[in-house]
Amino acid sequence: MSAVGAAPAMGGLLGFGPLKLHLPATRLQWLALAAGPGLGALGAELAWHHPLSGPLALAAWGVAVLLAALFWVKTPVLLLAPLPLIGLAPWTGWITFEEMDLLVTACGCGGYLAYALQLNARDRAPAWRHALVYSPAVRVLIVALALSAAWSMKRGFSDAGAFDFGWFQGYHEPMNSVRNAKAIFLVLALLPLWTAAAAARPRGFSRGLLLGLVLALAGASVAALWERLAYTGLLDFSTDYRTTALFWEMHVGGAALDGFLVLTLPFALLALLRTRSPWRFAAGLAIVLLAAYACLTTFSRGVYLALPLALVPMVLLADAQRRRAAAGPDSSHVDSSLGAVDQPLPRLAKVGALAMAGAFALAAALVFGGGGYRGLLALFFVMVVLLTLPASLWRPTLGQRLTALVMGGVLALLLGGASWALSMAVPKAAYALHAVALACCAVLRWRDEPGQTRPVYLLLVTTAWFWLLATMVIVADYWGGTAGRWTGMAAGLALAGLWALMLLEPRLWPLQGAGSVGKAGWRKRALLTAGLLLVMAVVAALGGGGYLRDRVATWKEDGQTRLTHWREGLHLLHGGRQWLLGKGAGRFVATNFYDGPVDAMVGDYRLRHDEHESYLALAAGKHQLGRGEQFRVSQRIAAPAPGLVTVHLVSRTAADAYLVLQICEKNLIYPDNCSSVEPQLKPHPAAEGEATDRQPEWQTSDFQLGPVPALGGSWWAPRFVTFSMALDTRGARVDIARISMQDSQGRQLLVNGDFNREMARWFFSSDRHHLPWHIKNAALHVLFEQGLVGLALLSAAWLLAVLRLAFGRGRDHPLAPAIVAALIGFATVGAFDSLLDAPRVGLVFFTLLLLGLGLRALPGEGVARLA
């Protein structure tokens, strides 16, 4: 008889059971058999209409269906992992529908069919193994949330005039209601499948969810790293450039990347804290550090506030789980298979840890201010050596340790003086001396003999570390001159004093005890080293550029602007019915345009048709225009050959208007290396005796851009090349029937320039003028779209999920601390931005929210080794 909670033996393909099909055996399986083909038909229709290639999209969708069928218990991996990388709107022109929708339908189609046909014989489980269970009250709440969203979508259609289906509609048109409201329905479409998966294999489902979120974070972080490498440089913290990664939803501002990071980062950190595998720990640490860099380069004060507010409770809740696990199986349903919980640090050791962290932060700020990046790197190596010092150093007596401290300091001063003299005489000798001192420390660490009392060894280690500290000062002096010398000396004295106290008083050393040797020891030291890297990154961001300092300094002004914007947004709700039920999903931009201030009258586009052809009606905003405030319609193009680029345009206008045609290197909203032309378009002159109140005539024009330089960036950090059209005349409108573009080699660069495929391949953006596109607060966003009813329902669901996972029945689920942290982080960032108007972010949020309302710990399934 197997132990409680033990997983049955694996078999079949990749350990996922025998590939045998059976007729549905339960009512739920019969319902799944109907749901699978339904989602399949919807997904196939969407794939066939994909703007890039219908056949290729359909083939990729079919592969996803097959994978979802084979691994239906772990469909969260298939859905969540690629999420930050599959937003292809800048290439496709789709915003209402996107690749995320294809992925959801594929997971639903394959997963439901596999469940219905019992592709895995172990899919049925007893009730006690159902890890995702919803009480009747929670089910009513979820249904009410869905009804509120559906009613909001209906009100959105009505406010837009009526429902009118279109593949490429913009933010003013009815389909924007579908875009804004669809996230919760996509999650609800998969929730029954996930409930069955959590019943069949609770641990497998939890691991799949964790892996999916960690891989999603890795994808977003790598995209952010590429963007910084390609467009600004990794260490450029002065340029006014906020990372957007591949989140096209930020084409009119917003905080899609910010929300995605705070939703997924807690899961990577939780996995890092729990893994015992060195390779997994290294991979997790790399992902967390990449994510920290991505968070830093968002330059988002909301993210900086959200991370401590979210991660501190997560660590506390995870620690409480581990303590309950260590108390024994009778105290809770927590699985204690990880072994004994690490003993907490004694009080003095905690004081020492805080003192070490504070000393390094102070030293980093001082050294970077005078010695730059090289001095900061030298300081980092000093701290790494300090963290790796062996426990045998404390075996000698207090008198021997004091003697070693004094003699080591004197010897290090002599070595430091000689090193400084050599660095002044020989160029770049400062770096070589630091490397030699570092090598000496490494050799001494390697020669440690645990358990042996060796006063001479203590003297040598102390001397080598003090010498390394002195060479750090020399590096700062060599790089920064007088400023580097004095700041380096101040930092060095602070660290030397800290080490002296810890050597003389062992209880201050935070890496003491049996928990700091072996696996626990390397994990603690690796985590502390990662902490040093994070501190260095923060210091470099604050000290290495003025952009972040400027954003921090202007928080009061920005806060007042937000308050004014919120008041203006709420004034758009008229009457008790709109306050109670909302204006409708996706209607903020249009309502703000017509009822808001002049600054809210942003540009727009419409695809029009006459009896002969389709054409694009491009309108400029009525606000003050500038290069960053223009409304642009763009297309990603191949890099043109260097030289002149010829644009052929067929257009018409009723009044004089300046049209900006531009080729730039641009990821989303920050153009660079631009070549542009700005012709003035005039109405077609009327013939004598001709009526002037009829539609203007079409005119054909040719323009030249350039000479365009070589574009596209380096092969290891490619840059996207974008062609854009914008109007530089307030309130102007230009109709464009055809546009084509040739580079100096005669290659055609534009696709669908006659708009016969509607807006396929065309995308729009507003680089700097962002407030009219968002109400800039998640709660007010829900209030505007769904009214007080919708806001009350969503707030109740959020609060219930947090309380349930922090203190209720779900508190011992292995993912509970991370879900709580994600929901808190989302709420914090959501206090400053809408978030839920980005469907991919909404999908992750509603996934965690709805799972948080039902997840519970089971015997043998708590605090599992999920990483």
Side-chain angles (χ1 to χ4, degrees):
M1 181 175 180
S2 62
V4 172
M10 294 290 186
L13 180 66
L14 299 178
F16 277 79
L19 294 179
K20 296 181 180 180
L21 302 180
H22 305 275
L23 287 176
T26 66
R27 180 173 59 88
L28 291 178
Q29 289 175 341
W30 281 107
L31 290 175
L33 187 61
L39 288 171
L42 177 61
E45 179 71 9
L46 290 176
W48 186 250
H49 284 87
H50 196 276
L52 296 182
S53 173
L56 286 178
L58 190 60
W61 180 83
V63 172
V65 170
L66 179 61
L67 292 174
L70 292 175
F71 309 106
W72 68 273
V73 171
K74 295 190 177 182
T75 48
V77 178
L78 182 62
L79 174 64
L80 297 172
L83 206 57
L85 304 178
I86 59 171
L88 302 182
W91 288 274
T92 65
W94 262 2
I95 62 170
T96 301
F97 306 104
E98 53 186 310
E99 292 69 27
M100 175 185 73
D101 306 326
L102 297 177
L103 205 50
V104 170
T105 56
C107 291
C109 177
Y112 279 122
L113 287 176
Y115 171 66
L117 299 177
Q118 304 178 65
L119 186 61
N120 191 311
R122 297 184 291 105
D123 290 344
R124 286 186 291 176
W128 63 266
R129 281 180 57 84
H130 292 188
L132 188 57
V133 178
Y134 296 97
S135 67
V138 170
R139 293 186 181 188
V140 171
L141 178 60
I142 292 175
V143 170
L145 285 171
L147 290 176
S148 178
W151 186 255
S152 171
M153 190 160 54
K154 179 181 181 299
R155 289 178 64 81
F157 294 153
S158 177
D159 187 70
F163 174 73
D164 179 28
F165 181 83
W167 291 103
F168 297 95
Q169 291 184 10
Y171 280 19
H172 291 256
E173 297 167 277
M175 291 301 291
N176 195 48
S177 298
V178 176
R179 188 187 73 86
N180 266 28
K182 68 181 179 180
I184 188 173
F185 298 108
L186 294 177
V187 177
L188 288 173
L190 296 179
L191 194 59
L193 176 67
W194 290 344
T195 303
R201 288 190 294 280
R203 183 172 295 182
F205 175 76
S206 296
R207 286 177 171 171
L209 179 62
L210 177 65
L211 180 60
L213 290 166
V214 172
L215 291 178
L217 175 66
S221 302
V222 169
L225 182 71
W226 154 77
E227 183 182 11
R228 300 296 299 186
L229 189 64
Y231 292 94
T232 66
L234 293 181
L235 300 179
D236 183 353
F237 297 108
S238 297
T239 303
D240 181 5
Y241 190 109
R242 299 180 62 187
T243 305
T244 59
L246 295 179
F247 283 89
W248 66 264
E249 297 89 342
M250 300 175 73
H251 65 140
V252 289
L257 175 61
D258 308 3
F260 196 86
L261 290 172
V262 298
L263 282 171
T264 53
L265 180 56
F267 295 89
L269 183 58
L270 185 68
L272 182 66
L273 294 175
R274 286 183 175 165
T275 186
R276 297 297 186 264
S277 164
W279 291 108
R280 291 179 181 176
F281 184 90
L285 183 59
I287 292 173
V288 169
L289 291 176
L290 278 175
Y293 178 81
C295 290
L296 194 63
T297 57
T298 62
F299 297 103
S300 168
R301 291 158 295 193
V303 170
Y304 300 161
L305 178 62
L307 290 180
L309 290 180
L311 297 182
V312 170
M314 187 201 79
V315 172
L316 295 176
L317 291 173
D319 186 64
Q321 277 190 344
R322 298 167 66 205
R323 290 174 184 274
R324 288 193 294 272
D330 295 334
S331 63
S332 71
H333 290 299
V334 180
D335 176 24
S336 58
S337 60
L338 286 182
V341 178
D342 295 339
Q343 293 297 320
L345 287 176
R347 182 172 300 176
L348 282 180
K350 291 180 181 178
V351 173
L354 291 175
M356 183 181 290
F360 176 71
L362 176 62
L366 289 172
V367 170
F368 185 73
Y373 286 105
R374 301 185 187 187
L376 189 61
L377 184 61
L379 175 64
F380 171 73
F381 289 129
V382 169
M383 292 300 297
V384 169
V385 171
L386 180 62
L387 291 177
T388 58
L389 291 179
S392 64
L393 298 182
W394 282 270
R395 293 188 62 85
T397 65
L398 176 60
Q400 290 172 332
R401 296 200 302 274
L402 181 59
T403 301
L405 190 64
V406 174
M407 292 183 64
V410 172
L411 292 174
L413 280 176
L414 295 175
L415 287 171
S419 300
W420 181 78
L422 184 60
S423 69
M424 297 296 291
V426 181
K428 298 187 178 181
Y431 308 128
L433 289 167
H434 185 73
V436 171
L438 184 63
C440 291
C441 290
V443 170
L444 288 172
R445 181 63 181 88
W446 175 60
R447 299 293 295 176
D448 175 49
E449 296 180 7
Q452 299 296 319
T453 303
R454 298 191 297 166
V456 175
Y457 177 74
L458 171 61
L459 172 62
L460 292 175
V461 170
T462 304
T463 302
W465 188 78
F466 278 145
W467 181 35
L468 181 67
L469 195 59
T471 60
M472 179 272 295
V473 178
I474 293 171
V475 169
D477 171 62
Y478 182 79
W479 177 255
T482 303
R485 180 188 314 147
W486 292 111
T487 56
M489 287 181 64
L493 289 174
L495 292 176
L498 177 68
W499 167 239
L501 285 175
M502 289 185 172
L503 186 60
L504 298 178
E505 177 49 78
R507 290 177 297 176
L508 287 172
W509 182 241
L511 294 171
Q512 58 181 276
S516 297
V517 297
K519 288 188 175 181
W522 71 257
R523 291 183 71 255
K524 283 184 178 179
R525 286 175 169 82
L527 288 172
L528 288 172
T529 303
L532 299 180
L533 289 172
L534 293 179
V535 171
M536 288 173 57
V538 172
V539 169
L542 287 171
Y547 183 47
L548 180 55
R549 292 198 301 271
D550 292 342
R551 286 188 56 79
V552 173
T554 59
W555 69 271
K556 286 186 178 180
E557 294 83 351
D558 292 347
Q560 187 59 48
T561 302
R562 281 284 202 280
L563 289 173
T564 302
H565 182 63
W566 294 339
R567 284 195 296 266
E568 292 174 348
L570 292 178
H571 287 159
L572 300 176
L573 295 175
H574 304 297
R577 186 176 178 85
Q578 288 189 4
W579 275 91
L580 189 65
L581 299 176
K583 184 76 172 182
R587 299 310 299 162
F588 176 76
V589 177
T591 305
N592 200 25
F593 181 89
Y594 291 108
D595 294 345
V598 175
D599 277 353
M601 296 182 180
V602 293
D604 191 25
Y605 71 91
R606 289 287 191 280
L607 188 67
R608 302 297 190 189
H609 306 276
D610 60 20
E611 57 185 12
H612 301 294
E613 58 189 346
S614 301
Y615 62 90
L616 173 70
L618 178 63
K622 297 182 179 180
H623 54 85
Q624 185 66 42
L625 295 180
R627 289 302 181 190
E629 289 77 20
Q630 294 170 350
F631 179 85
R632 289 177 166 86
V633 172
S634 307
Q635 185 174 136
R636 292 261 173 93
I637 62 174
L644 292 175
V645 172
T646 303
V647 179
H648 179 76
L649 179 71
V650 178
S651 64
R652 67 185 181 189
T653 179
D656 291 357
Y658 285 96
L659 177 67
V660 180
L661 305 175
Q662 198 170 55
I663 296 177
C664 301
E665 291 179 328
K666 182 170 73 168
N667 178 32
L668 196 62
I669 57 175
Y670 297 104
D672 192 20
N673 291 338
C674 295
S675 300
S676 61
V677 63
E678 190 172 339
Q680 183 182 26
L681 304 182
K682 294 179 174 293
H684 189 278
E688 185 176 350
E690 188 175 297
T692 58
D693 58 348
R694 70 175 188 175
Q695 189 78 281
E697 296 291 334
W698 293 105
Q699 301 183 65
T700 301
S701 308
D702 290 297
F703 311 103
Q704 286 190 327
L705 283 76
V708 176
L711 301 176
S714 305
W715 66 267
W716 43 270
R719 291 183 168 196
F720 297 133
V721 181
T722 301
F723 168 76
S724 64
M725 304 180 289
L727 293 174
D728 199 24
T729 303
R730 295 171 65 178
R733 168 180 162 173
V734 171
D735 296 340
I736 299 174
R738 288 182 299 280
I739 183 169
S740 61
M741 189 165 61
Q742 290 182 331
D743 66 6
S744 59
Q745 296 181 356
R747 292 185 304 164
Q748 289 290 340
L749 299 176
L750 293 179
V751 179
N752 190 30
D754 57 6
F755 305 101
N756 285 332
R757 294 175 53 200
E758 300 185 61
M759 292 300 293
R761 308 297 289 271
W762 294 98
F763 187 62
F764 69 93
S765 66
S766 177
D767 293 355
R768 300 285 182 179
H769 195 44
H770 296 157
L771 285 181
W773 300 91
H774 317 271
I775 202 168
K776 292 292 183 178
N777 180 280
L780 295 183
H781 170 84
V782 176
L783 173 63
F784 186 90
E785 294 195 344
Q786 301 183 37
L788 291 170
V789 172
L791 179 59
L793 290 172
L794 188 60
S795 299
W798 182 91
L799 184 60
L800 178 60
V802 169
L803 293 177
R804 193 176 171 279
L805 295 173
F807 309 107
R809 191 172 183 184
R811 65 177 184 165
D812 284 328
H813 189 276
L815 299 183
I819 297 178
V820 170
L823 294 178
I824 292 175
F826 183 87
T828 305
V829 175
F832 308 101
D833 220 292
S834 303
L835 293 183
L836 290 174
D837 55 1
R840 282 188 287 177
V841 177
L843 180 79
V844 179
F845 168 73
F846 281 113
T847 294
L848 299 179
L849 179 68
L850 297 185
L851 290 179
L853 292 173
L855 286 174
R856 63 176 183 174
L858 302 176
E861 300 297 341
V863 193
R865 195 171 301 172
L866 295 174

